[in-house]
């Protein structure tokens, strides 16, 4: 049985970076990924770079692209326009997210007064407007702004009810957290695939900082391997 994988890339901000991305995508294509997802910043701040990154990945020969879309800082009209832009670019898969405030994950989250008020609403809009395949997020460890793991499951269930096809988890470094999430979701009646999000450790200090911001724990035995 072939291992099914995908990759996530961040849009470069320079023409040289876009050229590098095209070459990198060609290398990633040799792994035969299910898709490559392209992120963009909070509030759609990097939407132009995201569209350029989608084009760069497509130039590599990869056509299975998942484009990110976040609720934060954007009106319904802006998000609907972005959905249409994705469709026009040949994208058929969206990763629908709430998104973090531009000030960072520790800042209070406020919905846009004219925007989608939850990720579930965004999922339903994407499905109704385009019929895209939709992936959403899931959390092996509690979301930093969530009151409980049970609340995280409530949010995931609402996204599934709205039409989500797949959940991709936040990164984790302890498999038990992932297995517990999957078992809890199944007991809740959530049957969509729950895909483990894997973050390769290229630089342990940088990974540790990023993990702390995301509320992800690093087991002592993993940290000791990098001492």
């Amino acid at each position: 049985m072939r291992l099914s994988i995908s990759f996530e890339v961040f849009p470069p901000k320079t023409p040289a970076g876009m050229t590098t991305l095209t070459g990198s995508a060609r290398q990633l294509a040799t792994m035969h990924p299910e898709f490559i997802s392209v992120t963009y910043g909070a509030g759609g701040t990097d939407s132009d770079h995201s569209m350029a990154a989608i084009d760069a990945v497509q130039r590599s020969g990869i056509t299975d692209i998942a484009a990110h879309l976040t609720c934060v800082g954007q009106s319904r009209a802006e998000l609907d326009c972005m959905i249409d832009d994705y469709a026009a670019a040949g994208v058929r898969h969206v990763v629908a997210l709430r998104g973090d405030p531009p000030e960072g994950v520790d800042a209070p989250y406020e919905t846009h007064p004219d925007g989608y008020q939850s990720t579930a609403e965004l999922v339903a809009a994407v499905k109704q407007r385009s019929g895209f395949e939709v992936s959403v997020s899931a959390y092996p460890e509690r979301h930093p702004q969530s009151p409980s793991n049970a609340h995280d499951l409530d949010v995931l269930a609402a996204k599934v009810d709205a039409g989500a096809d797949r959940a991709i988890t936040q990164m984790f470094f302890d498999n038990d957290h992932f297995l517990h999430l999957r078992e809890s979701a199944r007991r809740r009646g959530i049957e969509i695939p729950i895909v483990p999000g894997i973050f390769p450790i290229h630089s342990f200090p940088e990974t540790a900082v990023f993990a702390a911001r995301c509320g992800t724990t690093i087991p002592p035995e993993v940290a000791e391997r990098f001492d």
Side-chain angles (χ1 to χ4, degrees):
M1 182 176 178
R2 185 177 71 84
L3 179 65
S4 176
I5 59 173
S6 65
F7 296 105
E8 180 175 282
V9 298
F10 297 83
K13 299 183 185 298
T14 65
M18 290 296 176
T19 300
T20 299
L21 175 59
T22 301
S24 297
R26 288 196 181 101
Q27 290 181 296
L28 296 177
T30 65
M31 301 290 291
H32 306 292
E34 293 295 314
F35 58 87
I36 288 183
S37 67
V38 178
T39 72
Y40 73 95
T45 52
D46 289 335
S47 57
D48 289 342
H49 290 128
S50 293
M51 293 303 297
I54 289 170
D55 180 65
V57 173
Q58 288 173 328
R59 287 200 305 273
S60 75
I62 293 176
T63 56
D64 294 324
I65 296 172
H68 284 217
L69 201 62
T70 62
C71 296
V72 65
Q74 295 179 96
S75 68
R76 290 172 181 252
E78 289 171 322
L79 288 167
D80 289 348
C81 183
M82 200 69 193
I83 295 168
D84 293 342
D85 287 346
Y86 285 158
V91 174
R92 295 293 179 266
H93 181 178
V94 163
V95 180
L97 306 165
R98 188 203 76 171
D100 294 324
E103 298 82 9
V105 70
D106 294 328
Y109 176 79
E110 295 182 2
T111 57
H112 191 288
D114 298 318
Y116 293 107
Q117 300 303 294
S118 68
T119 313
E121 282 192 13
L122 177 60
V123 170
V126 172
K127 281 292 189 179
Q128 182 177 12
R129 193 173 187 85
S130 65
F132 285 179
E133 180 179 359
V134 177
S135 294
V136 295
S137 61
Y139 295 87
E141 299 175 80
R142 184 174 56 83
H143 185 284
Q145 294 180 330
S146 172
S148 67
N149 293 92
H151 178 265
D152 282 344
L153 276 181
D154 290 342
V155 172
L156 179 57
K159 292 185 286 191
V160 172
D161 290 343
D165 300 289
R166 172 196 295 106
I168 303 172
T169 77
Q170 175 62 278
M171 64 177 182
F172 59 92
F173 299 100
D174 185 334
N175 290 345
D176 286 343
H177 292 307
F178 172 77
L179 296 173
H180 182 264
L181 165 66
R182 190 173 64 180
E183 291 166 4
S184 299
R186 296 295 179 255
R187 287 196 298 270
R188 180 66 186 270
I190 297 171
E191 298 295 339
I192 62 170
I194 298 177
V195 180
I198 299 171
F199 192 93
I201 301 176
H202 298 293
S203 164
F204 185 78
E206 292 179 9
T207 299
V209 170
F210 188 40
R213 285 175 49 205
C214 298
T216 300
T217 58
I218 299 179
E221 59 269 23
V222 174
E224 289 168 2
R225 292 176 63 183
F226 289 89
D227 280 347

